[in-house]
Amino acid sequence: MSTHATLLRSHGLSVTPQRLALLQTLSQYPHITADQATEAVRKSLGTISRQSVYNTLNALVEKGLARRIQPIDSPALFEDRVGDNHHHLICRSCGDVADVDCAVGFRPCLEASDDNGFIIDEADVTYWGECPKCQPKISNVHTTTKTKTKTRKAIS
Amino acid sequence: MSTHATLLRSHGLSVTPQRLALLQTLSQYPHITADQATEAVRKSLGTISRQSVYNTLNALVEKGLARRIQPIDSPALFEDRVGDNHHHLICRSCGDVADVDCAVGFRPCLEASDDNGFIIDEADVTYWGECPKCQPKISNVHTTTKTKTKTRKAIS
DNA sequence: GTACTATTTTGGACTGCGTCCAAAGTATGA
DNA sequence: TCATACTTTGGACGCAGTCCAAAATAGTAC
Ligand SMILES: [Mn+2]
Ligand SMILES: [Mn+2]
Ligand SMILES: [Zn+2]
Ligand SMILES: [Zn+2]
């Protein structure tokens, strides 16, 4: 039996083709929008409703089987890499997202300098900058026009 | 002459009542949504269009005079505390946002464990947890029903 | 296998946040 | 004071995500 099925059952979620296909999809892309996931699932199942995509992704996040990140100027991104408290690098020009291991250790950044009495359970770290591809070359530093339009990779 | 006017001019922005009112508003609230800002500005100017609010807030962010943060499940928040690379504590229950000084120092967290070739210019750190008010009291630990509805403070 | 029930899926309507656009108004500098 | 570039306005619009009620289906008990 599929390991994904077991995973779902062990978290009290019933097993449906839609959920299996979404888990499958999540395992194939490091970070993916709900729309991209829909597109990908439709390639395998033929069809899935938008609502089911959101239902499932939200359920997975709730159960800790997936994580949602919300970069500025982008729809939410989902990933199945959870539990390692890793961080993200986002390119301001093209929107590319890269994973970064946590600098501090295993459960790291959960120490704020002053927690204001909050009980902290997660630290969400995003580094902003420019990816290698988008960096101006030596020859045209200061003259390169920054691309405003983020090109979003299509799922193929 | 108003210091806000000078600030605008020094960044190449012309001085308008709308912009002054927004700067004024930003200085009064640590974190504020575009809608809350609109509401607040209307108390002083009487009227302002939604578009002007966004135009101005975006311009301020672009010039580095304001900062936009984008928590999950909340419209963007704006603040005029910039340049100190401070972080945020957000309560999962009530949505309350608190500032935290950067743990590491002045321009700190800009060191990722592996920058993947990115040129990093900002680190955005959000701690998630529960604020003191929302924490279950000793007497009813494990029995308190978590409030799902975030109460958003009204601007009064 | 059949029947029952709780859960899930579906698609269509809907909401909220934010942007686009073109016309009217205003700040700035000559 | 005039000319012009920039800003403001409000109405239309777009996109991400949710709500809802009906239909379908997974899990369970027989
Ligand atoms: Mn990741
Ligand atoms: Mn802040
Ligand atoms: Zn890039
Ligand atoms: Zn709280």
Side-chain angles (χ1 to χ4, degrees), chain B residues 1 7 22 36 38 42-43 74 82-83 94 98 109-110 126 144:
Chain B
M1 141 167 4
L7 189 67
L22 274 164
Q36 292 171 329
T38 306
R42 284 184 180 155
K43 293 235 164 74
S74 158
V82 291
C94 71
C109 319
L110 295 193
T126 304
T144 306

Side-chain angles (χ1 to χ4, degrees), chain A residues 30-31 67 69 78-82 84 86-89 97-100:
Chain A
H31 309 94
R67 178 142 88 119
I69 62 175
F78 297 86
E79 61 181 343
D80 66 355
R81 183 175 164 183
V82 291
D84 64 348
H86 73 276
H87 308 326
H88 294 101
L89 276 160
V97 179
D99 284 330
V100 207

Side-chain angles (χ1 to χ4, degrees), chain B:
Chain B
M1 141 167 4
S2 148
T3 182
H4 285 154
T6 323
L7 189 67
L8 288 169
R9 274 193 248 278
S10 72
H11 286 82
L13 295 172
S14 49
V15 178
T16 69
Q18 290 85 349
R19 285 175 175 168
L20 289 175
L22 274 164
L23 280 174
Q24 184 62 24
T25 300
L26 282 181
S27 74
Q28 284 167 7
Y29 302 92
H31 309 95
I32 193 170
T33 66
D35 267 8
Q36 292 171 329
T38 306
E39 203 183 327
V41 168
R42 284 184 180 155
K43 293 235 164 74
S44 52
L45 288 191
T47 174
I48 189 174
S49 70
R50 184 166 39 151
Q51 191 57 53
S52 272
V53 173
Y54 280 106
N55 282 350
T56 300
L57 292 175
N58 289 342
L60 294 177
V61 169
E62 190 131 338
K63 295 296 185 183
L65 302 179
R67 186 167 169 215
R68 179 198 292 115
I69 62 175
Q70 178 62 77
I72 290 176
D73 289 334
S74 158
L77 299 176
F78 296 86
E79 62 181 344
D80 67 355
R81 182 174 164 185
V82 291
D84 64 348
N85 205 270
H86 73 276
H87 308 326
H88 294 102
L89 275 161
I90 308 185
C91 174
R92 289 189 193 277
S93 305
C94 71
D96 237 33
V97 179
D99 285 329
V100 206
D101 289 331
C102 176
V104 188
F106 177 63
R107 238 175 118 77
C109 319
L110 295 193
E111 309 294 327
S113 63
D114 173 1
D115 66 10
N116 282 59
F118 278 58
I119 296 177
I120 299 172
D121 61 75
E122 188 182 349
D124 185 349
V125 181
T126 304
Y127 298 98
W128 293 92
E130 244 178 355
C131 78
K133 272 189 227 156
C134 291
Q135 287 166 29
K137 302 290 168 269
I138 318 269
S139 56
N140 54 2
V141 173
H142 296 308
T143 64
T144 306
T145 314
K146 270 191 198 168
T147 314
K148 284 270 177 175
T149 21
K150 294 188 187 174
T151 50
R152 196 158 297 290
K153 287 202 206 73
I155 302 294
S156 52

